[in-house]
Amino acid sequence: MNRLIFLSLMVLSMAVWSFKQKGSPTIVSFAVPQKWPAPKFDFAKNPLTQEGFELGRKLFYDPVLSRDSTISCASCHLQYTGFTHVDHNVSHGIDGRKGTRNSPVLINLAWSSSFHWDGGVNHIEVQGLNPIQHPAEMDNTMEEVINRLQRSGNYPALFDAAFGSKEITTVRIMKALSQFDLSLVSSNSKYDQVMRKEKGIAFTEQEKKGLKLFRKNCVACHKEPLFTNDFFASNGLPMDPILKDVGRYGITHDPKDSLLFKIPTLRNIEYTFPYMHDGRFRKLKDVLKFYSEGIDLKSKNLHPVLQKKVTLSENDQKDIIAFLYTLTDKEFLFNNKFSFPK
Amino acid sequence: MKIAVFTFAIVCSWTVFSQTVVKIVPLFGGRSIELNHEYKLKDSIRFKFSTLRFYVSNVGISSNSGEMEVKKIHLFDLEEPSSFELFKTSESVRSIHFLLGTDSLTNVSGILDGPLDPIRGMYWTWNSGYINFKLEGIKTTGDSITDVEYHLGGYLPPYATSRRIHLDNSSLSKELKIEIHLDEWLMMISDERKNSIMIPGKEATILMDHLVPNIRLGENE
């Protein structure tokens, strides 16, 4: 009799355990590349799960988020161009509306403490609210997005799988989208392979020269291995007379922040043109030329490093560009895991 | 059995009736404000409220038992009568203290739900952070009609807008009212301020400063 009771309890326990396993999302550990700093995002507060990531990916590629269901996050953040757009200088929204800034790349965001060119967004989980609600982007409301997802055939089940119930809320939508965004890690460029001393991988002579020049002239802001220091700076770019973008000042109202913009990562920069917050440079050679010849040393709030003229010969500029091309990570740009879900 | 039920009922009734209810009551000329009702501010200025929403957070009381927190976050909304009651307590309230607005930690904690869900229309997406106090309405000055929009928020110094409020209580009343005298506030700001403040900054902090002395504790008469 005792044995029967014991066996019954065992069977019951296993049934409970297997039920729990079936209902729980699959935790995915966030892999920090070798010798990289710890991420700034606290994954304990929004643990990555396979189901959360997949839901986030589906939302990222779904035009249902926009008011007229014509554009998705991917419309401005295309994977093969480093999750940014390349065909225009500022982002485009529904009805052909134009924004005022170049869409930023979505690369290694787990190491970022602020978002947008002016750093106005202080947490990745609230970033997605902007494009969805901005009149020049998706021009929708969260109420409408939630209604649409609730009415859709498959979303309630996906929310159930990711969060344990079919309830669809702002919080869950944003947490899923941020799980996808946080997973966009690019760490397998030629530069990375050389740094990891992988067999058979080496810089060319020109790339070596470029790296040396880069470390002398650029690394103060574009710090390795993330190729950004996550701060704001004015690089001396004069204000566009039409856009009149004051940058970080618009958030802090501190005159010292006037014309400061977030320092972008240079990873995959070969594919992320046009460059700068307003997309004014279409070619990397234009950017290098600007740093060498175009900076007005008296411009307001110019970064201290740039207050001493940067002198780069034409060959130096070419060498730096050759090095920057080693930051291209095709495994990232063409990874099916991040592509449109089929 | 009957005695047990009777005793239980007595205990329950005593617990309910011995509780102090603390409510938030926005006032205009000493009367509770109603949405879309026209109020006379000065001889030539009339005011109509269309939205009044604000956060009250980290609510605590001092009582005979000591200091205690009674509520973490509360969103008052003039459209939602259920939001008028801030808390109930069986303690004898000596003082109430709270933050008018949200604390800085809340503003940097990512996406939050309940009263803090951005769907409530109290969150700035372009400059992350909560609108601590939102008042919208129409001001009529003579024949001129102006939209008034005060979205007062911001958590970063020097333009942080949440304000610490401390209200002493000597009343034994079982219904305490946190009165917000908006007519007095609007009088203080009507001549010198803009009719629209939608961003964090100095003007928002000044308006919040002016709110503080107009928050007082009243009791049910």
Side-chain angles (χ1 to χ4, degrees):
Chain A
M1 183 61 183
N2 280 348
R3 182 181 285 183
L4 191 63
I5 291 172
F6 176 75
L7 280 173
S8 303
L9 284 172
M10 280 289 286
V11 169
L12 189 64
S13 307
M14 285 178 72
V16 169
W17 182 81
S18 63
F19 177 76
K20 187 174 177 349
Q21 291 302 304
K22 193 183 168 198
S24 303
T26 314
I27 297 288
V28 178
S29 69
F30 182 79
V32 178
Q34 197 184 338
K35 296 186 180 173
W36 280 34
K40 291 183 178 170
F41 183 79
D42 182 359
F43 285 96
K45 290 183 177 163
N46 181 11
L48 285 186
T49 65
Q50 189 57 40
E51 294 79 1
F53 167 84
E54 290 299 347
L55 173 59
R57 177 164 79 147
K58 187 167 170 59
L59 289 166
F60 185 88
Y61 283 99
D62 197 336
V64 73
L65 299 184
S66 60
R67 183 169 57 73
D68 60 1
S69 298
T70 57
I71 64 169
S72 69
C73 305
S75 301
C76 287
H77 299 283
L78 289 81
Q79 180 187 4
Y80 61 89
T81 57
F83 287 94
T84 182
H85 62 62
V86 291
D87 53 340
H88 34 249
N89 55 346
V90 293
S91 57
H92 289 195
I94 64 164
D95 299 332
R97 297 173 193 176
K98 282 174 80 174
T100 56
R101 286 180 181 153
N102 185 8
S103 77
V105 297
L106 307 181
I107 299 172
N108 299 334
L109 298 178
W111 286 268
S112 190
S113 57
S114 63
F115 306 87
H116 288 196
W117 284 101
D118 57 16
V121 175
N122 66 18
H123 199 292
I124 195 168
E125 288 176 4
V126 290
Q127 198 287 325
L129 295 166
N130 285 274
I132 291 173
Q133 300 183 2
H134 197 290
E137 297 186 47
M138 294 181 175
D139 194 26
N140 210 345
T141 64
M142 287 313 299
E143 290 94 329
E144 176 60 17
V145 169
I146 291 169
N147 283 339
R148 288 183 191 180
L149 298 180
Q150 280 169 337
R151 288 198 308 266
S152 74
N154 49 8
Y155 272 110
L158 294 174
F159 277 85
D160 189 17
F163 297 109
S165 80
K166 290 181 178 175
E167 190 186 9
I168 299 177
T169 64
T170 318
V171 173
R172 288 179 169 188
I173 293 168
M174 291 303 135
K175 283 196 181 278
L177 272 172
S178 57
Q179 286 197 30
F180 177 71
D181 291 343
L182 288 161
S183 303
L184 302 176
V185 176
S186 174
S187 63
N188 200 24
S189 62
K190 181 178 180 181
Y191 163 85
D192 297 301
Q193 292 165 6
V194 172
M195 292 300 131
R196 290 195 296 259
K197 298 185 170 54
E198 290 187 10
K199 201 174 172 186
I201 308 287
F203 286 135
T204 64
E205 283 308 309
Q206 189 182 26
E207 289 164 353
K208 277 186 200 166
K209 280 186 202 166
L211 173 59
K212 200 172 169 187
L213 287 162
F214 180 85
R215 284 180 171 163
K216 183 182 170 197
N217 294 290
C218 318
V219 82
C221 290
H222 298 287
K223 191 181 169 193
E224 298 168 71
L226 293 157
F227 290 88
T228 172
N229 59 7
D230 200 28
F231 291 139
F232 303 88
S234 164
N235 61 1
L237 209 61
M239 182 191 276
D240 181 290
I242 296 166
L243 297 171
K244 292 188 171 63
D245 193 342
V246 293
R248 182 78 178 145
Y249 174 79
I251 300 299
T252 65
H253 300 175
D254 184 342
K256 292 200 289 293
D257 286 338
S258 179
L259 301 180
L260 270 62
F261 291 89
K262 181 94 192 246
I263 295 164
T265 180
L266 303 183
R267 285 184 170 272
N268 300 295
I269 196 158
E270 180 182 1
Y271 287 91
T272 61
F273 55 90
Y275 306 108
M276 306 293 164
H277 64 276
D278 52 12
R280 72 177 68 180
F281 297 134
R282 300 199 71 76
K283 305 273 184 194
L284 268 177
K285 64 177 184 171
D286 299 331
V287 175
L288 270 294
K289 194 173 176 191
F290 167 75
Y291 279 114
S292 187
E293 302 167 23
I295 297 176
D296 175 1
L297 298 180
K298 290 178 186 163
S299 62
K300 193 164 73 172
N301 297 329
L302 183 63
H303 190 281
V305 167
L306 297 173
Q307 287 175 14
K308 192 178 166 193
K309 187 168 168 53
V310 176
T311 308
L312 297 168
S313 68
E314 267 190 42
N315 279 341
D316 288 345
Q317 294 174 36
K318 285 178 185 166
D319 292 346
I320 291 177
I321 291 171
F323 166 69
L324 291 175
Y325 284 175
T326 72
L327 301 179
T328 298
D329 176 0
K330 290 200 173 164
E331 184 188 81
F332 171 74
L333 298 175
F334 300 100
N335 189 341
N336 287 337
K337 182 181 161 189
F338 304 135
S339 304
F340 182 86
K342 290 171 184 163
Chain B
M1 182 64 181
K2 280 182 183 173
I3 291 171
V5 170
F6 178 73
T7 308
F8 180 72
I10 291 289
V11 168
C12 287
S13 308
W14 185 82
T15 307
V16 169
F17 288 114
S18 67
Q19 283 198 320
T20 302
V21 179
V22 179
K23 291 182 174 176
I24 299 171
V25 188
L27 297 171
F28 201 104
R31 299 178 64 182
S32 296
I33 292 175
E34 289 174 34
L35 284 176
N36 301 313
H37 176 84
E38 192 166 77
Y39 296 93
K40 193 171 165 184
L41 190 60
K42 290 181 187 172
D43 284 347
S44 59
I45 303 177
R46 283 159 290 151
F47 203 93
K48 205 184 268 186
F49 296 88
S50 56
T51 303
L52 179 62
R53 260 182 247 153
F54 52 86
Y55 284 108
V56 171
S57 64
N58 302 325
V59 186
I61 58 167
S62 170
S63 73
N64 293 337
S65 312
E67 298 281 330
M68 63 187 76
E69 185 174 278
V70 291
K71 199 162 203 179
K72 188 70 193 159
I73 185 78
H74 183 85
L75 176 60
F76 176 91
D77 184 349
L78 197 52
E79 271 188 275
E80 294 290 336
S82 62
S83 72
F84 297 179
E85 183 181 304
L86 181 59
F87 66 91
K88 279 189 186 117
T89 179
S90 50
E91 301 288 334
S92 63
V93 178
R94 285 182 181 173
S95 68
I96 303 170
H97 53 88
F98 57 87
L99 207 56
L100 179 65
T102 52
D103 59 29
S104 58
L105 182 63
T106 299
N107 283 273
V108 295
S109 294
I111 192 80
L112 299 168
D113 57 12
L116 295 164
D117 190 328
I119 210 165
R120 308 237 176 204
M122 294 292 281
Y123 192 80
W124 276 317
T125 57
W126 55 276
N127 186 357
S128 299
Y130 286 92
I131 298 168
N132 286 321
F133 186 93
K134 181 187 270 192
L135 185 153
E136 294 170 352
I138 295 169
K139 186 162 88 174
T140 308
T141 310
D143 294 332
S144 152
I145 297 173
T146 316
D147 283 333
V148 173
E149 289 174 301
Y150 294 136
H151 294 186
L152 310 179
Y155 66 95
L156 287 170
Y159 303 128
T161 48
S162 60
R163 292 291 178 268
R164 197 155 290 284
I165 308 289
H166 181 98
L167 305 168
D168 286 319
N169 176 48
S170 54
S171 159
L172 296 173
S173 171
K174 291 297 173 193
E175 186 173 305
L176 299 177
K177 296 192 293 186
I178 297 172
E179 298 173 345
I180 305 184
H181 296 263
L182 287 178
D183 53 331
E184 294 175 33
W185 181 64
L186 288 167
M187 280 292 280
M188 285 170 88
I189 65 174
S190 64
D191 293 332
E192 51 186 311
R193 303 292 160 210
K194 287 181 182 175
N195 290 315
S196 177
I197 296 174
M198 312 283 276
I199 57 172
K202 192 174 179 183
E203 287 165 324
T205 64
I206 291 170
L207 261 61
M208 289 299 279
D209 287 339
H210 284 320
L211 253 177
V212 175
N214 291 307
I215 298 175
R216 303 192 281 271
L217 202 59
E219 61 184 79
N220 218 21
E221 288 160 7

